[in-house]
């Protein structure tokens, strides 16, 4: 499943989508950035409620397929601009982390 | 490549929001050099953790990266407070970061363990009150 495919589900919407063809192979969940950095795999969809600018560096360096901001968490405009510049897909959802993970489990 | 390719970065200790800049630049450069993605990931993660540590604990420092035929070497040098007990600092979950740093998602006590995990060689040279130099290598052959 690609990131664009995920957006066909009405619960998920695009915040930034510079690379919608990126394939999601697995899912990682976490808010402690160093933990995520060490454990998330390349091509994971990373579900978090953390929304500061450092999530972009973590997603970029760990090479995740996208960041999914759960629980209705939002990011400010400067983070969106940086994400597009760094080619990082950010998806948002009002679902809880658990609910988002359950849906992803059925799609990948 | 007969001679090592070298990159130098100043890591700004006052700007937490731009922390990771040097690591992202290195990642870009290694990608251009055509290194295998998993090796690039190893270097990027190890270096980012080191960079973040310099920002959190040492007020910044300098990062030197060299790429040879056999390995990528990252040397991170700061003039911060030094590490009192390296063995303790290497334990997963041990952290001296402040509440403020933790609220940003750091300070989980995973920095040094991640650096060790993602490098093939790591050496810490630290003197309390003088500073810390960390050398890491990721083998590429």
């Amino acid at each position: 499943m690609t990131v664009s495919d995920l957006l066909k589900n009405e619960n998920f919407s695009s915040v930034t989508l510079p690379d919608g063809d990126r394939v999601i192979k697995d899912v990682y969940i976490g808010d402690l950035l160093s933990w995520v950095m060490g454990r998330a795999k390349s091509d994971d969809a990373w579900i978090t409620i953390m929304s500061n600018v450092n999530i972009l560096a973590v997603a970029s360096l760990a090479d995740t397929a996208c960041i999914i901001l759960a629980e209705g968490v939002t990011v400010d405009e400067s983070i969106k601009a940086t994400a597009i510049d760094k080619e990082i897909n950010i998806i948002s959802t009002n679902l809880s982390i658990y609910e988002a993970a359950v849906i992803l489990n059925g799609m990948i | 490549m007969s001679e090592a390719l070298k990159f130098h970065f100043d890591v700004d200790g006052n700007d937490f929001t731009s922390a990771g800049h040097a690591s992202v630049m290195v990642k870009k450069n290694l990608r251009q050099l055509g290194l295998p993605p998993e090796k690039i990931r190893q270097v990027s993660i190890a270096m980012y953790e080191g960079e973040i540590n310099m920002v959190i604990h040492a007020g910044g420092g300098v990062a030197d990266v060299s790429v040879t035929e056999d390995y990528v070497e990252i040397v991170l040098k700061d003039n911060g407070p030094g590490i009192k007990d390296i063995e303790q600092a290497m334990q997963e979950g041990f952290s001296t970061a402040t509440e403020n740093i933790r609220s940003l998602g750091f300070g989980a006590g995973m920095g040094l363990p991640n650096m060790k995990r993602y490098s093939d060689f790591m050496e810490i040279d630290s003197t309390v009150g003088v500073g810390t130099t960390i050398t890491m290598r990721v083998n590429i052959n």
Side-chain angles (χ1 to χ4, degrees):
Chain A
M1 176 184 66
T2 65
V3 177
S4 293
D5 290 337
L6 175 64
L7 292 168
K8 289 173 191 161
N9 183 301
E10 60 183 13
N11 292 294
F12 298 90
S13 57
S14 157
V15 178
T16 63
L17 193 65
D19 188 9
D21 292 334
R22 187 76 197 260
V23 173
I24 298 172
K25 291 189 178 159
D26 209 339
V27 178
Y28 191 84
I29 297 169
D31 302 317
L32 288 172
L33 301 188
S34 285
W35 200 278
V36 174
M37 179 84 108
R39 310 282 167 124
K41 301 181 299 299
S42 201
D43 303 321
D44 278 355
W46 168 30
I47 312 178
T48 185
I49 52 166
M50 195 57 86
S51 61
N52 67 66
V53 68
N54 299 301
I55 60 173
L56 301 180
V58 170
S60 169
L61 296 169
D63 201 27
T64 57
C66 63
I67 301 170
I68 299 176
L69 299 171
E71 321 263 3
V73 165
T74 56
V75 289
D76 65 34
E77 290 302 320
S78 67
I79 293 182
K80 288 182 198 171
T82 310
I84 290 166
D85 184 46
K86 291 184 195 253
E87 297 193 341
I88 295 165
N89 300 313
I90 303 180
I91 308 300
S92 72
T93 179
N94 287 321
L95 299 175
S96 71
I97 288 179
Y98 172 72
E99 290 164 336
V102 167
I103 289 180
L104 274 154
N105 185 50
M107 291 179 80
I108 56 176
Chain B
M1 173 175 26
S2 55
E3 250 177 71
L5 265 174
K6 290 178 186 300
F7 307 105
H8 175 85
F9 303 93
D10 291 315
V11 178
D12 185 351
N14 298 313
D15 188 0
F16 201 77
T17 55
S18 74
H21 174 74
S23 312
V24 171
M25 289 303 293
V26 165
K27 185 185 177 187
K28 237 179 231 172
N29 289 333
L30 295 182
R31 207 182 252 170
Q32 279 170 1
L33 288 169
L35 261 67
E38 190 47 41
K39 296 293 171 187
I40 296 176
R41 198 177 118 89
Q42 273 182 261
V43 172
S44 306
I45 292 174
M47 182 165 170
Y48 181 66
E49 293 286 12
E51 205 183 331
I52 290 290
N53 273 350
M54 287 201 290
V55 175
I56 293 176
H57 299 289
V62 291
D64 285 283
V65 178
S66 28
V67 186
T68 73
E69 277 183 13
D70 300 320
Y71 56 80
V72 179
E73 184 177 78
I74 306 154
V75 180
L76 305 166
K77 189 174 166 45
D78 69 59
N79 298 313
I83 303 168
K84 265 188 209 152
D85 183 340
I86 292 177
E87 202 182 319
Q88 192 179 34
M90 288 302 300
Q91 286 170 17
E92 286 194 4
F94 176 81
S95 175
T96 56
T98 62
E99 270 309 309
N100 181 36
I101 295 297
R102 285 169 204 257
S103 72
L104 291 170
F106 293 106
M110 291 299 292
L112 285 168
N114 274 348
M115 289 158 74
K116 175 105 181 149
R117 175 181 297 152
Y118 283 96
S119 58
D120 295 302
F121 166 86
M122 178 164 125
E123 186 179 69
I124 302 175
D125 181 7
S126 187
T127 308
V128 172
V130 178
T132 301
T133 300
I134 296 185
T135 305
M136 291 180 284
R137 276 186 215 131
V138 173
N139 296 332
I140 47 181
N141 275 322

